[in-house]
Amino acid sequence: MAKKKAKKNVKKKKSRKKATAVKKAKRKKAKKKRTGKMTIVGLQNKRFEVMKAVPIVPCSVISKDPQGLQYAHTQAEKIFRIYRAELIKQRITPPTLIKCVTATVLVKKLSTGEEFYSSRATCTFRISDADNPNDYDDVQSTALGCNDVWSDNSAQTVAEKQMVLQYFIAAWPQPTNYVVVVRESLNELPPEDFKQAVRQMMPEKIMTSEGAVNALEAFFDAMLKK
């Protein structure tokens, strides 16, 4: 009987050793996984990653506001393209419009005194963590739209652009040298678009000069052949 009990005790010790070894292996594997590639968790942590990736949004377009004042800015299409890539990378849902109140307002141009109607949209957008939909922020923004029948839509677009820039606390410096803005904008265009853009900006007196036009065409031909 004593021998049988001894054998049973040996078996129990072996099984305990085996179980301990399995637990150690699991802990070691879990530790290795933790010390490997860090996983960004939580909407605010992911937000920080986007902020680091896009600290500055340079101005690339020159326009005039309703008051007739010239200013440099970046079009919504470019803003959305920049942030869309980062949101996908960090698994943050695109801004979802959850509430929008529009109103028709009368706007006056200070430069001319001209009055016109515009749409004002006050929007609330929701940004959430794709890995945890309960982790979200609701952000409100307001904007005017002034392109006729599309004014409601454009007001919402501008509001979303404003919201994205402010939520991710992007800096958008206002350059005083508009020539630099135009040059950088042209550098981003494909050759054919560059050609059309230069033609549109050229003063009439240059475009009616045969020598100037021939020189431009020679330059464009050389550029398009590259």
Side-chain angles (χ1 to χ4, degrees):
M1 290 292 293
K3 286 183 179 180
K4 284 184 180 180
K5 284 183 179 179
K7 283 182 180 180
K8 283 183 180 179
N9 288 336
V10 169
K11 285 182 180 179
K12 285 181 180 179
K13 284 181 180 178
K14 282 184 178 179
S15 63
R16 281 199 294 268
K17 283 183 179 180
K18 188 176 180 181
T20 303
V22 170
K23 286 180 181 179
K24 283 183 178 180
K26 285 183 178 179
R27 283 198 294 267
K28 190 175 180 181
K29 188 177 180 181
K31 186 178 179 181
K32 187 178 179 181
K33 189 175 181 180
R34 285 197 301 271
T35 56
K37 186 178 179 182
M38 187 177 68
T39 303
I40 306 299
V41 178
L43 178 60
Q44 297 308 318
N45 287 330
K46 293 180 177 184
R47 182 184 180 189
F48 291 147
E49 293 301 309
V50 175
M51 288 166 63
K52 285 193 292 184
V54 192
I56 297 174
V57 177
C59 296
S60 58
V61 181
I62 298 173
S63 300
K64 285 189 177 182
D65 65 12
Q67 314 307 332
L69 300 174
Q70 194 174 51
Y71 70 105
H73 66 107
T74 303
Q75 290 178 310
E77 182 273 334
K78 187 171 184 178
I79 297 292
F80 296 154
R81 179 158 35 91
I82 291 170
Y83 280 101
R84 185 187 300 117
E86 293 303 322
L87 294 180
I88 291 172
K89 190 184 298 181
Q90 297 302 331
R91 290 187 54 75
I92 298 174
T93 62
T96 303
L97 182 63
I98 60 172
K99 185 179 179 182
C100 183
V101 178
T102 59
T104 301
V105 293
L106 192 62
V107 181
K108 179 184 283 188
K109 283 188 178 181
L110 295 179
S111 56
T112 63
E114 176 192 354
E115 292 185 335
F116 61 95
Y117 286 99
S118 181
S119 172
R120 175 184 288 135
T122 301
C123 304
T124 302
F125 296 93
R126 177 165 294 178
I127 297 178
S128 60
D129 185 346
D131 299 313
N132 180 11
N134 293 322
D135 188 3
Y136 63 83
D137 281 331
D138 289 344
V139 192
Q140 190 178 84
S141 61
T142 303
L144 288 175
C146 55
N147 56 344
D148 199 23
V149 295
W150 293 102
S151 58
D152 282 357
N153 182 270
S154 66
Q156 293 172 37
T157 301
V158 176
E160 184 172 358
K161 171 188 171 183
Q162 171 194 321
M163 181 276 303
V164 169
L165 290 170
Q166 291 182 335
Y167 182 75
F168 293 107
I169 317 179
W172 56 97
Q174 281 288 326
T176 54
N177 187 345
Y178 293 122
V179 174
V180 174
V181 178
V182 173
R183 185 180 293 123
E184 290 179 353
S185 262
L186 291 175
N187 285 339
E188 295 180 6
L189 296 176
E192 191 59 44
D193 293 341
F194 177 91
K195 177 180 176 180
Q196 296 302 323
V198 172
R199 279 184 171 278
Q200 290 173 16
M201 288 187 297
M202 281 294 172
E204 189 66 29
K205 61 183 179 182
I206 293 179
M207 293 309 295
T208 53
S209 169
E210 187 177 343
V213 172
N214 290 338
L216 276 173
E217 287 299 334
F219 168 73
F220 290 141
D221 288 341
M223 182 183 68
L224 292 171
K225 287 176 182 177
K226 287 183 179 180

